Amino acid sequence: IDNVKVSETGTAATYAINLPGSSDNATVVINNSYLRGNIAVNIWGENVRVNALNSTFISYDDEEVENYSAIVLNNDGTTIADGTVVNIEGGKIIALDEKGEESYAIRNSTNSGTVTVSESTEVIGILSNPVAIVTYAGYDQFYSCTTLQQAINQAAKNSNATVKLIKDITLDKPVMVAENQTIVLDLNGFNISHSDIENKYAFNNHGTLIIKDSKGGGSINARGIYNGYGEGAENVATAKIIVESGVINAKGTNGGAAIYNYGVVEVKGGKFESNGGYGLSNQSGASMTITGGEIRGGIYNCGTLSVDGENTSVYQHISGRHAIYNYAATAIINNGAFDSESGNELILADG
């Protein structure tokens, strides 16, 4: 592509250059060209090679539900432009959003793709390596996010949104879901871990958090997940977590729980495991309904607990503890399999 101009004036093209999934192993050379679009260079193919010299790439972003970029190495959780190499020598990369503020100049969502920009290239915009995307039901586009908290905040703006992981994520602080926010989180086969895995919780949910894993193999690894914990203020009794699938590992050796509940929890599936605390912990005034799933580490209940599901199994692997410990509380158990390392399948204490 030599001395080519795309959308120099007027309405910007959707893509100035588009390399779809069928473009695997393609080589593109761009010289002295002007490429303007919502996305200037959009790459889905694997092992693509793009070499650009003294060219201008401009992203015109006019959509709030997608953060367009000048140069994009794509990943929607299914198709990934892995192994793609882009080299930019000289020229300009300019990315502005619908408000005229800097948007993403380069968005590399892949695991093994690379974009190299020379020191002589003028860049106006943000260099981005997303870890999650926000998808919207009935809409083909998606919004890429560099942190999980950013994805949660973006998804909260739209009731049809789903947060979908595209890479493993390491957290340095808990992710917050605020009151009145409803978030669907798809692990998509990837893992969320806290850097202080034994002592810190991965989430503190004050709204509604729905957890699933569409691909399988995804997990959350931390001291656990808080539901409705007030952090020094009043706990949030309306906070709700629904688990459909996925694995939540409570890694604390001296406490914690896969879900530590002060609100409402519905467990429909998934796997929960605790190293030192209980698999699930239901606090006073909280409610927990279990109709499926595998809980390893038992259940501690001092709220209201209902277990009714032939696909539910509760196993206590810590010696001396019980599959369900019910303390001054209400537990209604109609179905499920229960066992413990010490042979105490079930204990009801003061309740």
Side-chain angles (χ1 to χ4, degrees):
I1 301 173
D2 292 316
N3 298 296
V4 171
K5 294 181 180 179
V6 176
S7 301
E8 185 178 18
T9 60
T11 302
T14 302
Y15 312 118
I17 296 177
N18 185 40
L19 299 169
S22 57
S23 66
D24 293 352
N25 303 304
T27 297
V28 179
V29 178
I30 305 168
N31 294 321
N32 303 304
S33 293
Y34 180 98
L35 305 173
R36 174 175 170 262
N38 296 135
I39 298 175
V41 179
N42 188 52
I43 306 173
W44 287 99
E46 293 184 2
N47 301 310
V48 171
R49 296 293 182 268
V50 176
N51 296 307
L53 177 65
N54 296 330
S55 294
T56 298
F57 304 89
I58 297 179
S59 170
Y60 179 73
D61 186 346
D62 60 355
E63 289 278 355
E64 292 191 0
V65 295
E66 178 175 6
N67 48 346
Y68 292 121
S69 308
I71 298 171
V72 181
L73 276 62
N74 277 296
N75 178 352
D76 65 359
T78 302
T79 303
I80 308 172
D82 268 343
T84 287
V85 176
V86 177
N87 295 305
I88 308 293
E89 182 71 32
K92 298 179 181 180
I93 304 172
I94 301 172
L96 301 174
D97 66 14
E98 63 277 356
K99 299 175 183 178
E101 299 173 353
E102 289 190 8
S103 183
Y104 293 103
I106 297 172
R107 174 156 48 90
N108 181 5
S109 302
T110 68
N111 298 306
S112 60
T114 60
V115 180
T116 302
V117 179
S118 72
E119 293 184 1
S120 63
T121 303
E122 179 184 353
V123 179
I124 300 175
I126 304 165
L127 306 182
S128 167
N129 292 292
V131 297
I133 60 174
V134 179
T135 63
Y136 304 89
Y139 196 81
D140 292 335
Q141 309 297 343
F142 55 86
Y143 196 100
S144 297
C145 300
T146 57
T147 69
L148 184 54
Q149 187 67 68
Q150 181 193 13
I152 295 293
N153 295 344
Q154 178 66 26
K157 301 175 183 179
N158 191 307
S159 61
N160 294 315
T162 295
V163 175
K164 188 175 184 179
L165 302 192
I166 59 173
K167 294 179 183 177
D168 291 340
I169 297 174
T170 299
L171 304 173
D172 58 8
K173 59 182 178 181
V175 174
M176 291 295 302
V177 179
E179 288 188 70
N180 301 318
Q181 290 184 341
T182 297
I183 301 298
V184 179
L185 173 63
D186 182 0
L187 299 176
N188 192 36
F190 293 95
N191 306 298
I192 300 170
S193 301
H194 199 289
S195 57
D196 190 356
I197 200 167
E198 288 195 21
N199 300 305
K200 300 297 183 181
Y201 287 79
F203 289 82
N204 190 4
N205 173 57
H206 287 182
T208 298
L209 176 61
I210 302 167
I211 300 172
K212 63 181 182 178
D213 183 11
S214 61
K215 187 176 291 185
S219 66
I220 299 172
N221 307 281
R223 191 173 177 84
I225 294 176
Y226 272 136
N227 186 47
Y229 177 50
E231 297 186 277
E234 185 176 352
N235 294 327
V236 183
T238 56
K240 187 174 185 177
I241 290 178
I242 301 171
V243 182
E244 298 178 356
S245 55
V247 177
I248 304 175
N249 293 315
K251 293 293 189 177
T253 56
N254 62 345
I259 298 179
Y260 207 96
N261 180 39
Y262 293 94
V264 179
V265 168
E266 296 179 12
V267 176
K268 300 178 180 181
K271 182 177 180 179
F272 310 83
E273 183 160 355
S274 177
N275 280 356
Y278 279 85
L280 297 172
S281 183
N282 195 41
Q283 300 303 297
S284 178
S287 69
M288 183 175 290
T289 302
I290 302 171
T291 56
E294 178 183 347
I295 299 103
R296 183 177 172 86
I299 302 170
Y300 177 85
N301 178 51
C302 55
T304 300
L305 172 67
S306 173
V307 182
D308 187 1
E310 61 182 15
N311 295 319
T312 302
S313 65
V314 182
Y315 178 71
Q316 179 56 269
H317 63 285
I318 299 175
S319 181
R321 291 188 180 176
H322 307 272
I324 296 180
Y325 188 89
N326 193 65
Y327 183 76
T330 300
I332 301 172
I333 301 168
N334 292 320
N335 213 334
F338 307 90
D339 202 356
S340 68
E341 187 72 21
S342 57
N344 296 311
E345 285 79 12
L346 179 66
I347 183 170
L348 300 178
D350 299 326

